[in-house]
Amino acid sequence: MTSDTGLPARYEIRTLAGPEHAKWACAIITHCSFFASPVFSKIYTQGRNQLCYAMFQTALYQMSHQVESGLSLGIFDTEYQLKRPESAETDGKLYWDPTDLNKNTSGQDLLEQMDFPLVSVALAYDNFFPLDKTKLQPLFEAFPLLPLRNRAAERRELRNSADWQATGPGQVLLRGGTATKVGEEGRGFMKKLSWYMMRKAAAEGFRGIQIGCLHDAVSAVWQRPPAPFTSEVVVRFTCAEDDDEELRACFQGSDQEFTRIYVTL
């Protein structure tokens, strides 16, 4: 059953849908990455507003693919008060301007421009309908630590792909990003959203979910799923301590461990 979210009454879990939700989710993940995460916020200490814009523009394809899958979820604050009257036309609006070259634009400025009720996201897509790697290239070129991390993970992957990957739709869910809007942390949103997604996916017939974690709290939640689900850490390493010199250099400043976790539903 997925009806009991465990959230206070003002919050609702909804399936993300449409280009506006994709933009909002991308903004939350991007902003959180550079101003709150244990990785990007430690590595990139200068020019974060421009980096936010760069990631937003190059990662939007990945976010849109997951929202369009109909498998991504978000927590909405039903009592959120819009800051600008014009935001009401679409029940919320993102006001980021990637052409803004003002180096003094702060993380708080960017947060104020995120005038929408979405507070936490869990993006996912069906493993049988993968991302287009060519459309990921702009993101990877802008942030080379991402493909380097992926390469390091694949080197450590010991499973036979036939043992877990989907052979048809509706079998395996791939998680591709989770974040809570800065200022809304500490309310258990990520855990509640993750557990809800597990139960929802199981009810829809999926047999497993795989997620890559670059945050201890996210990793802890996915290593301890609710019964009857079980989890296995299939890849684990610390980027800044990897034997790949290029990877170590890219991740200097962050000692965050990466885990790839598979949950059997």
Side-chain angles (χ1 to χ4, degrees):
M1 297 293 292
T2 59
S3 57
D4 183 12
T5 65
L7 291 167
R10 69 180 288 171
Y11 298 104
E12 292 180 356
I13 293 179
R14 303 174 190 167
T15 298
L16 300 180
E20 286 302 310
H21 284 179
K23 291 176 184 177
W24 298 356
C26 192
I28 289 175
I29 289 174
T30 300
H31 185 267
C32 181
S33 293
F34 288 104
F35 293 97
S37 85
V39 180
F40 284 87
S41 68
K42 305 295 184 183
I43 296 171
Y44 298 102
T45 58
Q46 303 294 325
R48 290 177 178 172
N49 59 329
Q50 297 301 317
L51 291 167
C52 266
Y53 294 145
M55 178 172 281
F56 176 82
Q57 291 178 296
T58 56
L60 189 55
Y61 158 70
Q62 181 183 4
M63 308 303 168
S64 298
H65 178 87
Q66 296 181 93
V67 170
E68 290 167 4
S69 76
L71 298 167
S72 297
L73 302 174
I75 295 177
F76 289 77
D77 181 356
T78 64
E79 298 178 15
Y80 176 79
Q81 299 296 311
L82 296 171
K83 301 182 181 73
R84 306 189 192 188
E86 56 268 38
S87 301
E89 296 179 12
T90 51
D91 295 321
K93 191 171 182 179
L94 176 67
Y95 291 92
W96 284 8
D97 177 10
T99 65
D100 173 23
L101 299 179
N102 183 359
K103 295 182 179 180
N104 294 321
T105 300
S106 67
Q108 185 60 37
D109 292 331
L110 294 174
L111 187 61
E112 289 294 320
Q113 295 167 15
M114 296 161 62
D115 190 19
F116 47 75
L118 182 62
V119 296
S120 190
V121 297
L123 301 186
Y125 62 100
D126 193 317
N127 175 226
F128 193 67
F129 301 107
L131 291 158
D132 184 337
K133 292 182 179 180
T134 61
K135 294 181 179 179
L136 293 173
Q137 283 309 115
L139 174 65
F140 288 169
E141 289 171 6
F143 300 96
L145 76 174
L146 296 175
L148 286 170
R149 177 207 61 191
N150 294 345
R151 186 175 70 193
E154 291 309 313
R155 286 205 317 269
R156 291 167 168 81
E157 179 61 75
L158 300 178
R159 294 173 298 171
N160 186 324
S161 61
D163 292 337
W164 71 273
Q165 287 195 0
T167 57
Q171 297 179 6
V172 177
L173 211 58
L174 293 184
R175 288 293 318 279
T178 190
T180 295
K181 188 185 287 187
V182 171
E184 299 285 351
E185 309 96 332
R187 304 172 193 244
F189 289 157
M190 181 272 295
K191 180 177 181 179
K192 290 179 173 64
L193 201 50
S194 298
W195 282 23
Y196 185 93
M197 178 174 280
M198 293 178 202
R199 293 179 174 124
K200 181 175 182 291
E204 293 173 352
F206 284 88
R207 57 178 165 83
I209 305 177
Q210 180 163 287
I211 183 171
C213 306
L214 271 172
H215 195 295
D216 290 345
V218 178
S219 183
V221 164
W222 284 84
Q223 287 184 61
R224 301 173 182 85
F229 312 137
T230 60
S231 76
E232 178 186 7
V233 178
V234 294
V235 173
R236 184 194 299 270
F237 65 96
T238 301
C239 297
E241 299 174 1
D242 192 76
D243 55 7
D244 185 321
E245 184 177 351
E246 188 178 9
L247 181 67
R248 288 201 312 274
C250 280
F251 277 85
Q252 283 304 308
S254 172
D255 59 359
Q256 179 60 45
E257 180 182 66
F258 172 85
T259 55
R260 176 180 288 172
I261 299 169
Y262 186 86
V263 172
T264 300
L265 302 175

